[in-house]
Amino acid sequence: VARRYGEAYLNALEASEAGAAEPGLEQLEMVAKVYGGSRDLQKFLGSPEIGSEEKEQLLNRLFSDWVGPQLQGLLHLLLKRDRFDHLPAITEEAAFVREVRQGVVRGQVITARPISQAETQALAKAVGDLLKKKVILERSVDQKVMGGVRVIVGTSTLDGSVQTLLKEIRRELMD
């Protein structure tokens, strides 16, 4: 459900005018944060005892001054189809689809010690050059790697960790 709505919203943004996708995705993210941060809003919009007209009026009061027509349409459609609770997932999927269309892939770099943002960016560029895509890496620390680096992007793993090197040496010695 989330992928379908996210992709449809992104298609509507891209069809409306050039450059509308980024601001539209930012607006969607802000609306999702407002929705996710307010239990009262979630209860109100999810309540079967409150009429759809009242819910639409609230949406208009909250968002119509600062969101575009495509997002207004999405919000009203979600309300009409009783799928407003999918808004956070729709937001994530729309951003994911946008990145895929731009040739961006996300991954993870795992090291034994924290690395700087500059080191992460240099590594992302090197991996991106190998994959011929733009790579965005999230950093994580795992003492088990002992040293070196492990990069996971999609289904590809580039493992230059000491942990893996020791496992390979052990396996060779056992053979």
Side-chain angles (χ1 to χ4, degrees):
V1 170
R3 171 68 56 95
R4 202 173 10 189
Y5 280 98
E7 193 167 354
Y9 175 65
L10 188 57
N11 289 342
L13 287 172
E14 291 173 345
S16 66
E17 63 182 88
E22 292 307 317
L25 289 174
E26 289 172 9
Q27 291 172 2
L28 178 60
E29 188 175 319
M30 286 188 277
V31 170
K33 283 182 183 178
V34 169
Y35 176 75
S38 174
R39 289 274 183 225
D40 291 337
L41 181 59
Q42 293 170 20
K43 287 179 184 176
F44 184 86
L45 293 176
S47 174
E49 293 145 10
I50 299 172
S52 60
E53 286 183 25
E54 288 178 80
K55 292 176 184 179
E56 287 196 26
Q57 288 173 358
L58 178 65
L59 286 180
N60 288 335
R61 279 191 311 231
L62 290 175
F63 304 120
S64 67
D65 289 343
W66 57 276
V67 301
Q70 294 83 6
L71 183 50
Q72 287 178 18
L74 174 64
L75 297 177
H76 290 287
L77 181 64
L78 292 175
L79 187 62
K80 179 181 175 184
R81 295 201 176 156
D82 196 29
R83 292 193 168 159
F84 216 92
D85 58 327
H86 292 281
L87 185 63
I90 292 167
T91 303
E92 289 178 19
E93 288 297 328
F96 175 76
V97 169
R98 177 72 172 162
E99 286 180 350
V100 168
R101 289 180 183 178
Q102 291 176 330
V104 175
V105 292
R106 290 191 174 268
Q108 185 177 24
V109 57
I110 306 164
T111 56
R113 65 162 181 82
I115 60 174
S116 70
Q117 183 65 28
E119 290 171 312
T120 304
Q121 289 174 347
L123 191 55
K125 182 174 179 352
V127 172
D129 290 345
L130 283 172
L131 299 175
K132 307 232 184 311
K133 295 182 181 251
K134 181 176 185 213
V135 175
I136 298 172
L137 294 175
E138 293 181 23
R139 299 174 281 187
S140 67
V141 175
D142 183 357
Q143 299 295 325
K144 293 177 192 170
V145 299
M146 294 185 236
V149 63
R150 180 180 298 141
V151 178
I152 302 168
V153 179
T155 58
S156 301
T157 300
L158 305 170
D159 196 340
S161 67
V162 172
Q163 176 188 31
T164 300
L165 179 61
L166 290 174
K167 283 180 183 177
E168 288 176 8
I169 290 172
R170 182 172 189 229
R171 188 179 57 232
E172 286 181 26
L173 289 173
M174 297 298 279
D175 289 344

